[in-house]
Amino acid sequence: MTPGQPAPAPAPASERGRGHHRATPWPEARALAARAGAEARAAKDRPPVRVPLGQALGRTLAEPLRALTDLPSFDSSAMDGWAVAGPGPWTVREESVLAGHAGAAALAPGEAVRIATGARVPAGATAVIRTEHSRTEGAERAESIEGADCADRTERTDRAQNAPAVGRAAAGTVLLLHPLREVVTGQDIRPRGQECRTGDELLPAGTVVGPAVLGLAAAAGYDEPAVLPRPSVEILVLGDELLTAGLPHDGLIRDALGPMLGPWLTALGAEVLATRRIGDDAAALYLAVTTSAADLVVTTGGTAAGPVDHVHRVLDKAGAALLVDGVKVRPGHPMLLARLDAGRHLVGLPGNPLAAVSGLLTLAAPLLAALTGEPSERAPETTERADEPVPEPTAKATGGAPALRDAVQGHPYDTRLVPVVHRDGLVVPLRYNGPAMLRGIAAADAMAVVPPGGAEPGRRLELLALPWPTATQLAQGACFT
């Protein structure tokens, strides 16, 4: 499906042909999910919300970030040293100007005062001289040397020149400040408004709030920036065979998806309202789906055609429209996407853990990115057309983009998603990539998109970034490749 091409009309859930429905190609499924998110965002009014700065990390600015104050908001010193007025040498006043304290009285021409970085520059100051670019000397006050003969004056001046370089002058003397290099008017003074003026646009709407954006917002005077609301998600974990604690026994297994999906969806920008365990109860599933207030309902398991796979029947009964009913991808083939109403959707994930991860990356991630109003989902690290020439398996041979170190077996007809790590400038596929395995993805830096037929060493593949910091260091002796 190309951009601008009309989406095919969704089919009611009841029209799903058991065992022979048409699976959607993987790229088309992702495009359909993104379109569904964009349509849901347009159909539902989502006014901006204001959140404390400490809660804004990872959110998206709903409006331009405009300066609420001049930056800096006053003339300040860029260095530790001396604020001086006019040409030197200068008489040093016996006080200091510190950051966060009341400013000093105005300087008269020929005066200097010690000043700290970030402190308000006194009125009348024409420059700041760095401490290491200056020297001081003591000199007799004018009234103390009146009437002294020339020899005595010379002797006292010699003693004064050996006075301490900084600090309070001895009684009856003053400190004189001399520059060690040329002083330029305005040097090392940060003038008010140097970075911005009140009302200037600092960042556009749609900017994702990172740590530096938090710092800028705080400096610009914000306590609660306006951000886009997070789409709400409710997770429904299906299956009577799942345990929430203890070791597997008697055909029961631990629920791996319940603990994993909430944090993963949160990292994708969602607000997870609840994770509920439904079991294999069709009536309970129907009630949960039809009464959920979430923008997106995520189910685990129950998307195939087994005796307790109730998701399709529940969607049919609820009048939902299937937008994607199976995807040509391994693992995760039986994933689905349904529209519950104009602003709400359901993503049905397979019950196998890595297959569920595949469903998150294929359907949930692009839908949530569009729903939050982000300009685009996180871009793939590298992309290569299937018909591009295959270079040798070295980083240099691919122009700096990571190349595949080892061959990856492909499916004859479907896309494969395979956990990979970065090693020495190359992309290395991990061994534990079966539908029920999490060992590979837990150590992965990304998921590689392997086209039908597989990929040979040196091939550059599209990499799906994981929504958290990676670069896992494998335990000594561990073998994942």
Side-chain angles (χ1 to χ4, degrees), residues 325-343:
D325 189 11
V327 177
K328 293 181 178 180
V329 66
R330 307 297 170 123
H333 181 269
M335 68 182 72
L336 63 82
L337 171 63
R339 185 172 62 227
L340 301 175
D341 57 44

Side-chain angles (χ1 to χ4, degrees), residues 16-44:
R16 178 182 182 269
R18 292 290 185 262
H20 59 275
H21 65 280
R22 176 186 175 273
T24 304
W26 184 78
E28 184 179 339
R30 281 172 57 84
L32 284 168
R35 179 173 298 179
E39 291 174 351
R41 180 168 176 260
K44 187 176 180 180

Side-chain angles (χ1 to χ4, degrees), residues 92-455:
V92 177
R93 293 201 325 215
E94 294 184 355
E95 60 183 301
S96 295
V97 187
L98 303 178
H101 293 256
L107 292 179
E111 287 188 325
V113 66
R114 179 166 287 283
I115 193 167
T117 301
R120 183 189 293 268
V121 173
T126 55
V128 168
I129 302 176
R130 304 181 189 190
T131 300
E132 62 270 24
H133 296 166
S134 65
R135 68 176 180 86
T136 58
E137 66 174 7
E140 293 285 1
R141 295 183 185 275
E143 61 271 20
S144 69
I145 61 174
E146 289 180 0
D149 60 41
C150 182
D152 289 343
R153 184 182 300 113
T154 301
E155 180 182 354
R156 285 194 294 268
T157 301
D158 291 340
R159 289 199 305 269
Q161 288 177 343
N162 295 321
V166 294
R168 188 180 301 275
T173 66
V174 295
L175 276 181
L176 292 181
L177 176 71
H178 296 270
L180 298 180
R181 58 181 61 185
E182 181 185 5
V183 178
V184 179
T185 299
Q187 73 178 31
D188 286 330
I189 293 177
R190 297 174 179 146
R192 177 173 182 163
Q194 181 184 48
E195 185 172 1
C196 65
R197 290 291 185 181
T198 301
D200 285 354
E201 180 176 322
L202 306 178
L203 293 170
T207 299
V208 177
V209 179
V213 175
L214 289 178
L216 177 61
Y222 283 86
D223 298 320
E224 296 184 334
V227 297
L228 295 175
R230 291 186 184 274
S232 56
V233 176
E234 188 168 14
I235 302 168
L236 306 179
V237 179
L238 312 183
D240 290 341
E241 74 279 14
L242 301 178
L243 295 169
T244 59
L247 295 175
H249 62 87
D250 301 325
L252 301 177
I253 61 173
R254 282 294 297 268
D255 169 27
L257 295 181
M260 180 178 73
L261 292 181
W264 198 309
L265 289 162
T266 299
L268 289 174
E271 178 184 358
V272 179
L273 303 181
T275 297
R276 301 168 55 190
R277 289 170 172 81
I278 303 297
D280 289 323
D281 187 329
L285 177 59
Y286 174 81
L287 181 64
V289 169
T290 55
T291 60
S292 176
D295 299 311
L296 175 63
V297 177
V298 175
T299 62
T300 68
T303 56
V308 291
D309 289 336
H310 302 306
V311 172
H312 284 93
R313 288 186 288 273
V314 164
L315 292 175
D316 184 22
K317 183 178 179 181
L322 282 171
L323 306 179
V324 175
D325 189 11
V327 177
K328 293 181 178 180
V329 66
R330 307 297 170 123
H333 181 269
M335 68 182 72
L336 63 82
L337 171 63
R339 185 172 62 227
L340 301 175
D341 57 44
R344 299 171 57 246
H345 290 82
L346 181 144
V347 168
L349 302 178
N352 279 323
L354 190 59
V357 169
S358 176
L360 279 177
L361 296 173
T362 301
L363 299 177
L367 186 146
L368 288 171
L371 198 56
T372 56
E374 294 181 9
S376 62
E377 192 186 353
R378 184 182 296 194
E381 296 182 23
T382 61
T383 306
E384 181 190 64
R385 290 170 49 90
D387 56 356
E388 285 186 355
V390 178
E392 292 299 318
T394 65
K396 183 179 294 186
T398 58
L404 195 60
R405 191 189 74 178
D406 307 325
V408 181
Q409 183 178 359
H411 187 275
Y413 311 109
D414 295 349
T415 299
R416 282 192 70 202
L417 300 184
V418 176
V420 296
V421 291
H422 297 291
R423 290 290 180 269
D424 301 323
L426 300 173
V427 172
V428 182
L430 299 176
R431 288 173 47 196
Y432 299 100
N433 53 38
M437 297 180 179
L438 287 176
R439 189 173 173 182
I441 189 65
D445 294 326
M447 289 282 273
V449 181
V450 181

